[in-house]
Amino acid sequence: MVVRTEEPARVGPLLAQWRRRRRVSQLELANLAGVSARHVGFVETGRAQPSREMVLRLAEHLEVPLRERNALLMAAGYAPVFREKPLDDPAMRPVLEAVRRVLSGHHPYPALAVDGRWDIVAANAAFGLFTEGVAAHLLEPPVNALRLVLHPDGMAPRMVNLGQWRGKLLTRLARCAAFDERLRPLYEELQGYPCDQPVPEVDVPGPDDIMVPLELRCGDQVLTFIATLATFGTARDVTISELLIESFFPADDRTAAHLNALTGPPPSS
């Protein structure tokens, strides 16, 4: 009997995948990294073994996430250099306090922070507007933000443009799951959720499209939000680099007035 074992990932093809994903040519990457396009080609095909420093330099210019930079180093035969501390580590307390201050400062508009699995790490008081009517089992820790939005017992029944957001979130998750196996079960789960609206297979914006608003039913009216994302751009820890703060702003005066009247003053810290 022949036993087949999976061939370990090689650094060259992995770097090529990231380069294509970033839509950068070998020549463009070479110019950024200060090497020849020939050398980049040799690295990608395995004809040249990159040094540890070269792997990190190419990954930096390709904006590869820290978790995947560690994977590139291991594929090249080097030890990982970026640590990954859990959020409950005492050293992470200042980071979490900073996140909570940011979320509190966004009051009276909803905001939340998620980790690399899209589990909610923290949220401000105004985020309670989004969880009204959500089934209790979806609010048991760890609360997954994507499941909260797309589950039929979650926010989905209140979302006027659920199809748009389903397409947007699943596309984003699919891109991440292509490089992070931890996210593949979540992607498969969310794909199986029902949706009674058309879901665009490819997100192709029209000439007048700037962003996809969130249209949410609240009582007898529809509130409209725009969302922004923020990360810790200078993080040197994998966990911190994967933290994502999503802040929702009112897209019109009616939504702003409703939120100001509904949420009241921010809670004292």
Side-chain angles (χ1 to χ4, degrees), residues 65-68 84-87 114-119 144 146-147 173-190 238-243:
L66 298 193
R67 181 180 300 278
E68 279 68 43
E84 182 178 1
K85 294 181 180 178
L87 285 172
V114 298
D115 62 16
R117 298 175 184 264
W118 268 283
D119 289 337
N144 185 270
L146 300 186
R147 186 180 293 116
L173 182 58
R175 292 195 190 105
C176 296
F179 292 92
D180 192 341
E181 294 184 355
R182 304 174 305 159
L183 298 174
R184 291 178 185 173
L186 177 63
Y187 176 75
E188 294 172 359
E189 174 192 338
L190 300 187
V238 173
T239 301
I240 298 175
S241 72
E242 292 179 344
L243 287 178

Side-chain angles (χ1 to χ4, degrees), residues 72-135:
L72 288 173
L73 286 168
M74 289 188 290
Y78 304 110
V81 299
F82 300 102
R83 294 181 295 177
E84 182 178 1
K85 294 181 180 178
L87 285 172
D88 57 2
D89 189 293
M92 300 292 279
R93 190 173 299 120
V95 176
L96 292 176
E97 290 176 352
V99 168
R100 293 188 181 101
R101 281 195 295 271
V102 170
L103 299 181
S104 178
H106 195 62
H107 187 90
Y109 308 140
L112 73 158
V114 298
D115 62 16
R117 298 175 184 264
W118 268 283
D119 289 337
I120 296 178
V121 172
N124 66 2
F127 187 73
L129 177 71
F130 286 179
T131 60
E132 289 180 1
V134 170

Side-chain angles (χ1 to χ4, degrees), residues 194-265:
C195 181
D196 59 1
Q197 299 181 18
V199 179
E201 294 184 5
V202 180
D203 186 16
V204 181
D208 298 324
D209 291 339
I210 300 176
M211 62 195 70
V212 178
L214 171 63
E215 300 173 356
L216 187 69
R217 293 187 184 89
C218 186
D220 58 354
Q221 61 181 313
V222 174
L223 304 182
T224 306
F225 300 87
I226 56 176
T228 63
L229 302 175
T231 60
F232 290 85
T234 58
R236 306 299 291 175
D237 177 274
V238 173
T239 301
I240 298 175
S241 72
E242 292 179 344
L243 287 178
L244 184 67
I245 296 177
E246 187 156 16
S247 306
F248 292 86
F249 295 83
D252 51 46
D253 292 339
R254 176 176 47 81
T255 300
H258 181 88
L259 292 173
N260 283 315
L262 184 67
T263 59

Side-chain angles (χ1 to χ4, degrees), residues 108-179:
Y109 308 140
L112 73 158
V114 298
D115 62 16
R117 298 175 184 264
W118 268 283
D119 289 337
I120 296 178
V121 172
N124 66 2
F127 187 73
L129 177 71
F130 286 179
T131 60
E132 289 180 1
V134 170
H137 68 91
L138 293 175
L139 299 176
E140 296 176 359
V143 179
N144 185 270
L146 300 186
R147 186 180 293 116
L148 183 70
V149 172
L150 300 180
H151 196 285
D153 294 334
M155 293 172 57
R158 299 171 56 203
M159 294 179 64
V160 176
N161 58 339
L162 174 62
Q164 282 184 301
W165 271 76
R166 177 183 171 88
K168 170 187 174 181
L169 295 179
L170 288 182
T171 298
R172 184 191 301 175
L173 182 58
R175 292 195 190 105
C176 296
F179 292 92

Side-chain angles (χ1 to χ4, degrees), residues 20-32:
R20 289 191 292 268
R21 185 181 186 188
R22 299 305 190 208
R23 299 183 180 182
V24 175
S25 69
Q26 288 184 346
L27 179 59
E28 290 170 327
L29 179 59
N31 288 336
L32 290 171

